[in-house]
Amino acid sequence: MAVLAATILVAAGGCSTFSGHNGPLSAGDGSSSTCGSGVGESVFTFGHDLLTNDSDDPVTITGVELIDPENMELVEAILLPEPEPPMRMSIGLVDGYPPTDYTDHSDGGAYWEMRRVVGEATVEGRETVNLLMGLKADGAASMEGVVVSYEYKGDSYHVETTNRFRARKQCGGDD
């Protein structure tokens, strides 16, 4: 299993929004690059993205795809409620998937039980959720963000995030 060493290289509190159709779902306003240490095949939980429905009506998340993945694949994508104190922030980067600290220990799994699987998940009006993904890396791997597809009032939309992830033998040096 991977030995986790997360490094936030550039952090600005979220991700950029891009929608070719001016839909109501946004994904923050910054970008970051995160590194996880692992050798060979490694599995990570990546939860740096908060999605906000800026409308009064619900949107249905229909899919999530990695942008420019190299030796990386999506295991699963889920939505969790926006973290509240004492957590105060999203899960971030955790070694393994699902994230054991959130499924078993921290609150007896109560937070994890509130998860909604992408493809069936609805984000209510004015709601913010944490997009959490299981990612499998095979050696040196990367992705440049994700495209979140969704439906709103019968139309299809998408939003792109710009939180990048790299899996490397050792984080903190040159790629």
Short mmCIF file of all heavy atoms in Angstrom, two decimals, residues 10-18 25-32 46-52 67 90 129-131 133 143-146 148 159-164:
data_model
loop_
_atom_site.label_atom_id
_atom_site.label_comp_id
_atom_site.label_asym_id
_atom_site.label_seq_id
_atom_site.Cartn_x
_atom_site.Cartn_y
_atom_site.Cartn_z
N VAL A 10 0.24 24.43 -4.92
CA VAL A 10 -0.38 25.73 -5.10
C VAL A 10 -1.81 25.58 -4.62
O VAL A 10 -2.55 24.80 -5.17
CB VAL A 10 -0.40 26.17 -6.59
CG1 VAL A 10 -1.07 27.52 -6.74
CG2 VAL A 10 0.99 26.19 -7.16
N ALA A 11 -2.20 26.29 -3.60
CA ALA A 11 -3.56 26.15 -3.08
C ALA A 11 -4.27 27.49 -3.10
O ALA A 11 -3.74 28.48 -2.66
CB ALA A 11 -3.53 25.60 -1.66
N ALA A 12 -5.48 27.47 -3.63
CA ALA A 12 -6.28 28.69 -3.66
C ALA A 12 -7.73 28.39 -3.35
O ALA A 12 -8.63 29.02 -3.85
CB ALA A 12 -6.13 29.37 -5.00
N GLY A 13 -7.98 27.36 -2.56
CA GLY A 13 -9.30 27.10 -2.03
C GLY A 13 -10.33 26.57 -2.99
O GLY A 13 -11.49 26.91 -2.90
N GLY A 14 -10.01 25.71 -3.92
CA GLY A 14 -11.06 25.14 -4.74
C GLY A 14 -10.61 24.93 -6.16
O GLY A 14 -9.45 24.70 -6.43
N CYS A 15 -11.56 25.04 -7.08
CA CYS A 15 -11.30 24.75 -8.47
C CYS A 15 -12.00 25.77 -9.33
O CYS A 15 -12.92 26.43 -8.91
CB CYS A 15 -11.85 23.38 -8.84
SG CYS A 15 -11.62 22.17 -7.58
N SER A 16 -11.60 25.83 -10.57
CA SER A 16 -12.22 26.77 -11.49
C SER A 16 -13.49 26.18 -12.07
O SER A 16 -13.63 24.98 -12.18
CB SER A 16 -11.29 27.11 -12.64
OG SER A 16 -10.11 27.64 -12.16
N THR A 17 -14.36 27.06 -12.47
CA THR A 17 -15.59 26.66 -13.11
C THR A 17 -15.45 26.82 -14.61
O THR A 17 -14.93 27.80 -15.09
CB THR A 17 -16.75 27.54 -12.61
OG1 THR A 17 -16.85 27.38 -11.22
CG2 THR A 17 -18.04 27.17 -13.27
N PHE A 18 -15.93 25.84 -15.34
CA PHE A 18 -16.05 25.97 -16.78
C PHE A 18 -17.34 25.28 -17.16
O PHE A 18 -17.58 24.15 -16.79
CB PHE A 18 -14.90 25.29 -17.51
CG PHE A 18 -15.12 25.23 -18.99
CD1 PHE A 18 -14.85 26.33 -19.78
CD2 PHE A 18 -15.65 24.10 -19.58
CE1 PHE A 18 -15.10 26.29 -21.14
CE2 PHE A 18 -15.89 24.06 -20.93
CZ PHE A 18 -15.60 25.16 -21.71
N LEU A 25 -24.04 24.85 -11.71
CA LEU A 25 -23.11 24.18 -10.81
C LEU A 25 -21.73 24.82 -10.93
O LEU A 25 -21.20 25.01 -12.03
CB LEU A 25 -23.01 22.69 -11.15
CG LEU A 25 -22.36 21.80 -10.11
CD1 LEU A 25 -23.20 21.75 -8.83
CD2 LEU A 25 -22.19 20.39 -10.67
N SER A 26 -21.13 25.18 -9.79
CA SER A 26 -19.79 25.76 -9.80
C SER A 26 -18.87 24.90 -8.94
O SER A 26 -19.31 24.14 -8.11
CB SER A 26 -19.82 27.21 -9.28
OG SER A 26 -20.25 27.26 -7.94
N ALA A 27 -17.57 25.06 -9.20
CA ALA A 27 -16.58 24.23 -8.51
C ALA A 27 -15.46 25.08 -7.91
O ALA A 27 -14.31 24.70 -7.94
CB ALA A 27 -16.01 23.20 -9.48
N GLY A 28 -15.77 26.23 -7.38
CA GLY A 28 -14.77 27.05 -6.72
C GLY A 28 -14.09 28.01 -7.66
O GLY A 28 -14.54 28.25 -8.77
N ASP A 29 -12.97 28.56 -7.19
CA ASP A 29 -12.33 29.63 -7.96
C ASP A 29 -10.81 29.64 -7.87
O ASP A 29 -10.18 30.66 -7.86
CB ASP A 29 -12.87 30.97 -7.52
CG ASP A 29 -12.62 31.26 -6.05
OD1 ASP A 29 -12.04 30.40 -5.36
OD2 ASP A 29 -12.98 32.34 -5.60
N GLY A 30 -10.21 28.49 -7.81
CA GLY A 30 -8.75 28.44 -7.74
C GLY A 30 -8.26 27.11 -8.25
O GLY A 30 -9.00 26.35 -8.85
N SER A 31 -6.99 26.83 -8.04
CA SER A 31 -6.47 25.53 -8.45
C SER A 31 -5.39 25.10 -7.47
O SER A 31 -4.85 25.90 -6.72
CB SER A 31 -5.89 25.60 -9.86
OG SER A 31 -4.78 26.45 -9.91
N SER A 32 -5.10 23.81 -7.49
CA SER A 32 -4.04 23.28 -6.64
C SER A 32 -3.43 22.07 -7.33
O SER A 32 -4.00 21.52 -8.26
CB SER A 32 -4.58 22.88 -5.26
OG SER A 32 -5.40 21.74 -5.36
N PHE A 46 -9.31 11.07 -3.04
CA PHE A 46 -9.04 12.46 -3.41
C PHE A 46 -10.32 13.26 -3.25
O PHE A 46 -11.31 12.99 -3.93
CB PHE A 46 -8.53 12.52 -4.85
CG PHE A 46 -8.08 13.89 -5.30
CD1 PHE A 46 -6.85 14.39 -4.92
CD2 PHE A 46 -8.89 14.66 -6.10
CE1 PHE A 46 -6.42 15.64 -5.34
CE2 PHE A 46 -8.47 15.91 -6.53
CZ PHE A 46 -7.24 16.41 -6.15
N GLY A 47 -10.34 14.21 -2.34
CA GLY A 47 -11.55 14.97 -2.06
C GLY A 47 -11.31 16.46 -1.93
O GLY A 47 -11.75 17.06 -0.96
N HIS A 48 -10.61 17.06 -2.87
CA HIS A 48 -10.29 18.48 -2.79
C HIS A 48 -11.34 19.38 -3.45
O HIS A 48 -11.18 20.60 -3.43
CB HIS A 48 -8.93 18.75 -3.44
CG HIS A 48 -7.78 18.31 -2.60
ND1 HIS A 48 -7.28 19.06 -1.57
CD2 HIS A 48 -7.05 17.17 -2.63
CE1 HIS A 48 -6.29 18.42 -1.00
NE2 HIS A 48 -6.13 17.27 -1.62
N ASP A 49 -12.37 18.82 -4.05
CA ASP A 49 -13.32 19.62 -4.82
C ASP A 49 -14.66 19.78 -4.13
O ASP A 49 -15.31 18.79 -3.78
CB ASP A 49 -13.54 18.99 -6.20
CG ASP A 49 -12.27 18.95 -7.02
OD1 ASP A 49 -11.66 20.02 -7.17
OD2 ASP A 49 -11.90 17.87 -7.50
N LEU A 50 -15.08 21.03 -3.96
CA LEU A 50 -16.42 21.34 -3.46
C LEU A 50 -17.24 21.83 -4.65
O LEU A 50 -16.78 22.68 -5.43
CB LEU A 50 -16.39 22.41 -2.37
CG LEU A 50 -15.70 22.01 -1.07
CD1 LEU A 50 -15.69 23.19 -0.09
CD2 LEU A 50 -16.41 20.82 -0.42
N LEU A 51 -18.44 21.29 -4.80
CA LEU A 51 -19.35 21.68 -5.87
C LEU A 51 -20.52 22.42 -5.24
O LEU A 51 -21.08 21.97 -4.24
CB LEU A 51 -19.88 20.45 -6.61
CG LEU A 51 -18.83 19.51 -7.20
CD1 LEU A 51 -19.50 18.27 -7.78
CD2 LEU A 51 -17.99 20.22 -8.24
N THR A 52 -20.93 23.55 -5.84
CA THR A 52 -22.03 24.34 -5.31
C THR A 52 -23.09 24.52 -6.38
O THR A 52 -22.78 24.93 -7.51
CB THR A 52 -21.54 25.73 -4.85
OG1 THR A 52 -20.57 25.55 -3.82
CG2 THR A 52 -22.69 26.57 -4.31
N ILE A 67 -9.57 14.37 -16.32
CA ILE A 67 -9.02 15.14 -17.42
C ILE A 67 -7.56 14.73 -17.61
O ILE A 67 -6.77 14.77 -16.67
CB ILE A 67 -9.10 16.65 -17.14
CG1 ILE A 67 -10.56 17.10 -16.99
CG2 ILE A 67 -8.40 17.44 -18.26
CD1 ILE A 67 -10.72 18.54 -16.54
N SER A 90 -12.74 19.71 3.60
CA SER A 90 -12.99 18.46 2.90
C SER A 90 -11.97 17.40 3.31
O SER A 90 -10.95 17.71 3.92
CB SER A 90 -12.95 18.70 1.39
OG SER A 90 -11.68 19.14 1.01
N VAL A 129 -21.51 20.48 -1.86
CA VAL A 129 -21.12 19.11 -1.54
C VAL A 129 -19.65 18.91 -1.82
O VAL A 129 -19.03 19.64 -2.59
CB VAL A 129 -21.96 18.07 -2.33
CG1 VAL A 129 -23.42 18.13 -1.94
CG2 VAL A 129 -21.79 18.27 -3.84
N ASN A 130 -19.07 17.90 -1.19
CA ASN A 130 -17.68 17.51 -1.40
C ASN A 130 -17.66 16.37 -2.42
O ASN A 130 -18.25 15.32 -2.19
CB ASN A 130 -17.08 17.06 -0.08
CG ASN A 130 -15.60 16.71 -0.13
OD1 ASN A 130 -15.11 16.09 0.79
ND2 ASN A 130 -14.88 17.10 -1.14
N LEU A 131 -17.00 16.59 -3.56
CA LEU A 131 -16.81 15.53 -4.55
C LEU A 131 -15.61 14.71 -4.08
O LEU A 131 -14.51 15.23 -3.93
CB LEU A 131 -16.54 16.12 -5.93
CG LEU A 131 -16.14 15.12 -7.02
CD1 LEU A 131 -17.25 14.10 -7.27
CD2 LEU A 131 -15.77 15.87 -8.30
N MET A 133 -13.34 11.15 -4.68
CA MET A 133 -13.06 10.12 -5.68
C MET A 133 -12.05 9.11 -5.16
O MET A 133 -11.11 9.47 -4.46
CB MET A 133 -12.50 10.77 -6.95
CG MET A 133 -13.49 11.69 -7.63
SD MET A 133 -12.74 12.59 -8.99
CE MET A 133 -11.69 13.74 -8.11
N MET A 143 -3.48 13.28 -13.14
CA MET A 143 -4.69 13.76 -13.80
C MET A 143 -4.73 15.26 -13.59
O MET A 143 -4.20 15.79 -12.61
CB MET A 143 -5.95 13.05 -13.28
CG MET A 143 -6.27 13.26 -11.82
SD MET A 143 -7.47 14.58 -11.63
CE MET A 143 -7.91 14.39 -9.92
N GLU A 144 -5.36 15.97 -14.53
CA GLU A 144 -5.34 17.43 -14.53
C GLU A 144 -6.63 18.06 -13.99
O GLU A 144 -6.83 19.25 -14.13
CB GLU A 144 -5.09 17.94 -15.96
CG GLU A 144 -3.75 17.50 -16.52
CD GLU A 144 -2.58 17.96 -15.66
OE1 GLU A 144 -2.54 19.14 -15.27
OE2 GLU A 144 -1.70 17.12 -15.38
N GLY A 145 -7.49 17.28 -13.37
CA GLY A 145 -8.78 17.73 -12.86
C GLY A 145 -9.85 16.76 -13.31
O GLY A 145 -9.53 15.66 -13.80
N VAL A 146 -11.10 17.16 -13.16
CA VAL A 146 -12.21 16.30 -13.59
C VAL A 146 -13.28 17.12 -14.29
O VAL A 146 -13.42 18.32 -14.05
CB VAL A 146 -12.85 15.51 -12.41
CG1 VAL A 146 -11.86 14.57 -11.78
CG2 VAL A 146 -13.43 16.43 -11.38
N VAL A 148 -17.24 17.24 -14.48
CA VAL A 148 -18.46 16.80 -13.82
C VAL A 148 -19.63 17.09 -14.75
O VAL A 148 -19.87 18.25 -15.11
CB VAL A 148 -18.66 17.54 -12.47
CG1 VAL A 148 -19.95 17.08 -11.80
CG2 VAL A 148 -17.46 17.33 -11.56
N VAL A 159 -19.07 20.98 -15.76
CA VAL A 159 -18.17 21.92 -15.11
C VAL A 159 -16.83 21.19 -14.94
O VAL A 159 -16.80 19.99 -14.70
CB VAL A 159 -18.74 22.43 -13.75
CG1 VAL A 159 -18.90 21.30 -12.75
CG2 VAL A 159 -17.91 23.55 -13.17
N GLU A 160 -15.72 21.91 -15.15
CA GLU A 160 -14.40 21.32 -15.00
C GLU A 160 -13.73 21.86 -13.75
O GLU A 160 -13.83 23.05 -13.45
CB GLU A 160 -13.51 21.66 -16.21
CG GLU A 160 -13.92 20.95 -17.47
CD GLU A 160 -12.96 21.19 -18.61
OE1 GLU A 160 -11.86 21.76 -18.39
OE2 GLU A 160 -13.30 20.81 -19.73
N THR A 161 -13.04 20.99 -13.05
CA THR A 161 -12.25 21.41 -11.90
C THR A 161 -10.79 21.52 -12.34
O THR A 161 -10.41 20.97 -13.36
CB THR A 161 -12.36 20.40 -10.74
OG1 THR A 161 -11.65 19.21 -11.09
CG2 THR A 161 -13.80 20.06 -10.40
N THR A 162 -10.00 22.23 -11.56
CA THR A 162 -8.58 22.37 -11.90
C THR A 162 -7.67 21.93 -10.76
O THR A 162 -6.52 22.32 -10.70
CB THR A 162 -8.26 23.83 -12.28
OG1 THR A 162 -8.63 24.68 -11.20
CG2 THR A 162 -8.96 24.24 -13.56
N ASN A 163 -8.17 21.09 -9.87
CA ASN A 163 -7.31 20.50 -8.85
C ASN A 163 -6.62 19.29 -9.46
O ASN A 163 -7.26 18.29 -9.77
CB ASN A 163 -8.12 20.09 -7.62
CG ASN A 163 -8.40 21.26 -6.72
OD1 ASN A 163 -7.63 22.21 -6.68
ND2 ASN A 163 -9.52 21.22 -6.02
N ARG A 164 -5.32 19.40 -9.63
CA ARG A 164 -4.53 18.34 -10.24
C ARG A 164 -4.02 17.37 -9.16
O ARG A 164 -3.85 17.76 -8.02
CB ARG A 164 -3.34 18.94 -10.98
CG ARG A 164 -3.77 19.86 -12.11
CD ARG A 164 -2.58 20.54 -12.79
NE ARG A 164 -1.72 21.27 -11.89
CZ ARG A 164 -1.91 22.52 -11.47
NH1 ARG A 164 -2.97 23.19 -11.84
NH2 ARG A 164 -1.04 23.11 -10.68
#
